[in-house]
Amino acid sequence: MKRKHRKRRQRSQVIWVVMVVVLIAMVWSIYELFSPSVSAELTVPPIQKTAKPQEELSKRYKIVIDPGHGGKDPGAEGVSGNHERAYTLALSQKVFDLLQQEPMFEAYMTRTDDTFVHLEDRNQFAHDLDADALVSIHGNTYQDPGVSGTETYYYADDSIPFAREVHERLVEATGFRDRGVRKEGWKVLTGSNNLAILLEVGFLTNPGDEMEMLSESHQDRTAQGIVNGIKDYFANRED
Ligand SMILES: [Zn+2]
């Protein structure tokens, strides 16, 4: 009876030991199963919060297009009786539309209809926007109807390279006589603290220039030339 009892006790001890070993083995295998994924999780690099958002990587240049005159200020009167204010608005709108399609630019206009805008307000508009460039668009006038051609004006020396790039493409597009890049103290230029140029596309007082300037196809070509010149300049600028 006594021996039998001891034997039974020994057997139950063996069962206990086996159970504990099995339990340890199970815990170990479960640990092994999950530990690799835990360590993998820990090796995932942290999110780089210092990376620049996509929109900051490519700078968009702010270009202000300024249709000369407007409202009570008609500007020059062309041979046909058309006013400069209408021509400058029509051409500026085309330049604006083309610029809007270029991912490198943000385009603005100082006026979008036939209203009078003070010269100081045109400068202030560009200043408030912190614009990269102001391009004022005009049609020329002279007492001698024989005078024709394209001129580009700047005032600050900083604007010379910009004036040259746009003028080259503008003359190419208008097909008019090249009257050069000139320095002049037009108020819209002297009051600017950004790049600023003034384009005299052609002479509205010259019958040949005016006839072309009032045609839709010539305006389309001229607008594209101006935009190409602006692109030439800003594509090569390092900032
Ligand atoms: Zn004008």
Side-chain angles (χ1 to χ4, degrees):
M1 180 76 188
K2 248 189 170 178
R3 262 183 78 176
K4 209 176 179 185
H5 188 74
R6 202 190 300 150
K7 244 187 178 176
R8 202 183 292 157
R9 212 169 53 195
Q10 276 177 343
R11 205 183 304 148
S12 73
Q13 274 176 346
V14 167
I15 288 168
W16 269 110
V17 167
V18 168
M19 274 176 69
V20 166
V21 167
V22 166
L23 199 75
I24 288 169
M26 274 173 69
V27 168
W28 179 253
S29 64
I30 287 167
Y31 173 76
E32 279 287 88
L33 219 110
F34 286 99
S35 63
S37 68
V38 168
S39 66
E41 242 172 76
L42 290 173
T43 57
V44 168
I47 297 162
Q48 291 181 6
K49 287 180 181 167
T50 51
K52 275 188 170 185
Q54 192 58 41
E55 63 266 27
E56 279 182 35
L57 293 174
S58 51
K59 181 178 163 71
R60 280 162 70 88
Y61 296 100
K62 292 179 188 170
I63 310 295
V64 173
I65 301 300
D66 174 44
H69 314 279
K72 67 180 183 185
D73 170 19
E77 189 178 332
V79 194
S80 66
N82 281 289
H83 287 122
E84 184 185 351
R85 66 180 174 202
Y87 171 72
T88 60
L89 183 60
L91 179 59
S92 296
Q93 190 65 60
K94 288 177 187 292
V95 174
F96 174 85
D97 291 345
L98 289 172
L99 278 175
Q100 287 285 80
Q101 293 168 28
E102 300 288 342
M104 69 187 289
F105 297 120
E106 249 175 60
Y108 299 88
M109 282 175 83
T110 54
R111 69 179 176 96
T112 53
D113 54 19
D114 189 21
T115 50
F116 176 76
V117 182
H118 281 282
L119 289 172
E120 300 81 31
D121 293 339
R122 295 171 196 246
N123 288 143
Q124 194 61 46
F125 179 75
H127 179 75
D128 290 347
L129 277 169
D130 193 22
D132 293 286
L134 173 79
V135 179
S136 193
I137 292 176
H138 289 254
N140 223 334
T141 175
Y142 197 63
Q143 64 240 38
D144 178 359
V147 175
S148 68
T150 302
E151 300 171 349
T152 297
Y153 288 91
Y154 68 93
Y155 179 71
D157 289 351
D158 286 353
S159 294
I160 296 175
F162 182 51
R164 284 194 180 137
E165 294 271 18
V166 176
H167 182 74
E168 193 185 322
R169 294 298 202 122
L170 178 61
V171 170
E172 206 177 271
T174 61
F176 298 157
R177 195 158 76 86
D178 183 354
R179 294 176 55 90
V181 174
R182 302 160 177 228
K183 179 169 180 158
E184 186 64 68
W186 303 119
K187 204 168 181 181
V188 77
L189 299 180
T190 58
S192 269
N193 46 12
N194 36 259
L195 290 177
I197 56 174
L198 186 147
L199 313 177
E200 293 282 9
V201 179
F203 281 76
L204 291 166
T205 44
N206 175 270
D209 279 11
E210 196 219 25
M211 196 179 71
E212 293 238 53
M213 287 161 79
L214 296 182
S215 82
E216 189 87 22
S217 60
H218 192 269
Q219 286 176 13
D220 287 338
R221 219 166 55 232
T222 304
Q224 189 62 66
I226 294 168
V227 169
N228 289 344
I230 296 171
K231 271 171 75 178
D232 284 350
Y233 177 80
F234 282 100
N236 296 320
R237 214 166 85 149
E238 288 169 3
D239 62 359

